[in-house]
Amino acid sequence: MNRLHNYCLVLVLFALLAGGLLPAGSAPVRADGTPSHWWVYIGTYTRGDSEGIYLLHMDAQSGHLEMVGLVAEAANPSFLAMHPERPLLYVVSELWDAEGGPVKAYTVAGNGELELLNEQSSLGAGPCHVTVHPSGEYAAAANYGGGSTVVFPIGEDGRLGEPTAFFQHEGSSVHPQRQQRPHAHSVNFDAAGRFLFVADLGIDKVLVFRFDEQEGTLEAHDPPAAELAPGAGPRHFAFHPSGRFAYAINELDSTVTAFAYDAEAGRLTTIHTVPTLPDDFDGNSTTAEVRVHPSGRFLYGSNRGHDSIAAFAIDTETGRLTPIGHSPTQGSTPRNFNIDPSGSFLLAANQESDTVVAFRIDPEQGSLEPTGQRLEVPTPVAVLFASPGQ
């Protein structure tokens, strides 16, 4: 019965597409209900040839990549976040204006093109990360240069309203150049949207805030932070799909810290910390992105300098990490990467070599195998998958 249902669904969608009743750029689903291809938005630094945000198509089965082109002109769109339910995209422009860099709201057309709705000041220099609350009613951003966190309401039309919360971080740590003051680097809500977690590279803490969904306000939690080792430099943060664990990738000492997460109490408890570099590596390297596989069985982190993706197996009972190995990204400085929603492919963005490279993920072992797919994209620094016609 299910096979017949899926077959009929595909026929109906094909007929709608042929008749022009689906938006341009939408694709029929496969028999298992997943799209036949993914949209991939690439954020960039616009210091060289890049002009803003680019769109790729990736075949969901083969991993074949195709460049669509520039879909929005923007200055330094260094991180992107999709609305959980609506065709809306939120973007930070990483500009170092002391008064605040912009956070932008876009509508997503049926063919993947972006149209700017509005923008708001982040109230701090160098906004570098953005996320959307699970309800879709708020967006939060981290200001790296300003060392602060800001929250915006999202209106019925998708526009960003005036900030409802702003929190200035305080403190420093041991690194003489990178940790003389706070540097907020990422913002992540938990699955229930009750708490906001902010990794601050400058003070070696993952700050924890209680979030008031009615008012859009932040209040320091008790305890107010999870402490990392001096000089670790927590950069990005990711929850396990079970909600029982979370992981911080530490830029300065090239490690990943695993936490147990008590969702009711909003509390992180350190499990252990593991290196992202091989024991025999002798050189300069920093980490960047961390992602948990949709299955919850694997974790990946990027090394800039070693120019690799480090893979780990996750013990789903304890949250502990066991190294799997390292895969060269076939380029220089993999600042960002992402995993497609089905968990089949990983796309690595090599910032300094202007390439996006595809890898197939072994579903049993978690290892990465190059697909041979490689596209030139100027200064890519963010990768975001989206369903066509979302």
Side-chain angles (χ1 to χ4, degrees), residues 24-390:
S26 293
V29 296
R30 298 186 298 178
D32 62 2
T34 61
S36 64
H37 73 271
W38 302 108
W39 287 343
V40 187
Y41 289 100
I42 305 294
T44 66
Y45 280 145
T46 53
R47 301 164 185 162
D49 294 334
S50 174
E51 298 179 71
I53 303 170
Y54 293 81
L55 177 64
L56 315 180
H57 283 179
M58 191 188 82
D59 186 281
Q61 186 168 3
S62 69
H64 176 76
L65 290 172
E66 177 185 351
M67 169 63 81
V68 177
L70 182 72
V71 289
E73 293 186 4
N76 289 349
S78 65
F79 206 83
L80 324 171
M82 189 68 71
H83 192 279
E85 298 176 350
R86 301 165 60 192
L88 299 166
L89 184 69
Y90 297 91
V91 178
V92 289
S93 277
E94 193 173 325
L95 301 178
W96 288 71
D97 186 335
E99 300 299 317
V103 182
K104 300 171 180 284
Y106 292 89
T107 57
V108 182
N111 61 359
E113 293 281 342
L114 301 178
E115 181 179 349
L116 181 65
L117 283 171
N118 79 324
E119 62 181 60
Q120 293 282 1
S121 169
S122 69
L123 305 180
C128 63
H129 198 268
V130 62
T131 192
V132 179
H133 189 268
S135 69
E137 296 181 357
Y138 297 92
N143 292 310
Y144 180 84
S148 56
T149 303
V150 62
V151 176
F152 307 92
I154 295 175
E156 290 293 329
D157 59 359
R159 295 173 185 268
L160 294 168
E162 295 287 336
T164 54
F166 176 83
F167 191 92
Q168 179 62 55
H169 304 191
E170 297 180 352
S172 60
S173 193
V174 298
H175 195 287
Q177 288 81 42
R178 302 291 305 280
Q179 294 185 315
Q180 294 182 332
R181 54 193 175 89
H183 291 299
H185 218 311
S186 63
V187 282
N188 296 85
F189 288 102
D190 68 348
R194 296 177 56 223
F195 298 97
L196 179 68
F197 297 82
V198 185
D200 192 307
L201 179 147
I203 60 177
D204 286 325
K205 295 178 181 179
V206 176
L207 300 179
V208 186
F209 298 96
R210 293 191 298 274
F211 182 70
D212 186 325
E213 191 174 336
Q214 298 300 315
E215 303 296 329
T217 54
L218 297 172
E219 184 177 356
H221 193 40
D222 183 17
E227 304 271 351
L228 281 300
R235 177 184 172 98
H236 282 192
F237 185 83
F239 278 102
H240 190 271
S242 70
R244 297 172 52 216
F245 311 112
Y247 301 90
I249 194 162
N250 303 310
E251 177 175 337
L252 301 182
D253 70 358
S254 296
T255 62
V256 175
T257 299
F259 300 96
Y261 180 53
D262 183 333
E264 184 61 31
R267 182 176 296 112
L268 296 171
T269 302
T270 300
I271 299 171
H272 71 157
T273 297
V274 296
T276 65
L277 294 169
D279 293 339
D280 60 355
F281 177 73
D282 183 18
N284 295 319
S285 190
T286 58
T287 65
E289 184 60 271
V290 63
R291 303 281 184 185
V292 178
H293 190 270
S295 69
R297 297 177 57 196
F298 312 111
L299 178 141
Y300 302 91
S302 58
N303 292 307
R304 299 173 295 176
H306 188 250
D307 293 337
S308 65
I309 303 295
F312 301 86
I314 298 175
D315 185 319
T316 56
E317 293 300 318
T318 67
R320 294 181 68 87
L321 301 172
T322 300
I324 293 172
H326 299 83
S327 299
T329 60
Q330 302 181 14
S332 176
T333 317
R335 185 177 186 271
N336 193 257
F337 67 92
N338 212 335
I339 299 167
D340 82 278
S342 74
S344 301
F345 297 98
L346 181 151
L347 293 186
N350 292 306
Q351 175 184 337
E352 297 302 328
S353 53
D354 301 326
T355 56
V356 174
V357 179
F359 299 83
R360 186 180 291 274
I361 301 172
D362 185 303
E364 297 302 322
Q365 304 300 321
S367 56
L368 303 179
E369 182 69 27
T371 66
Q373 291 295 303
R374 173 191 180 105
L375 285 183
E376 292 187 3
V377 183
T379 326
V381 295
V383 181
L384 178 68
F385 284 91
S387 298
Q390 179 178 346

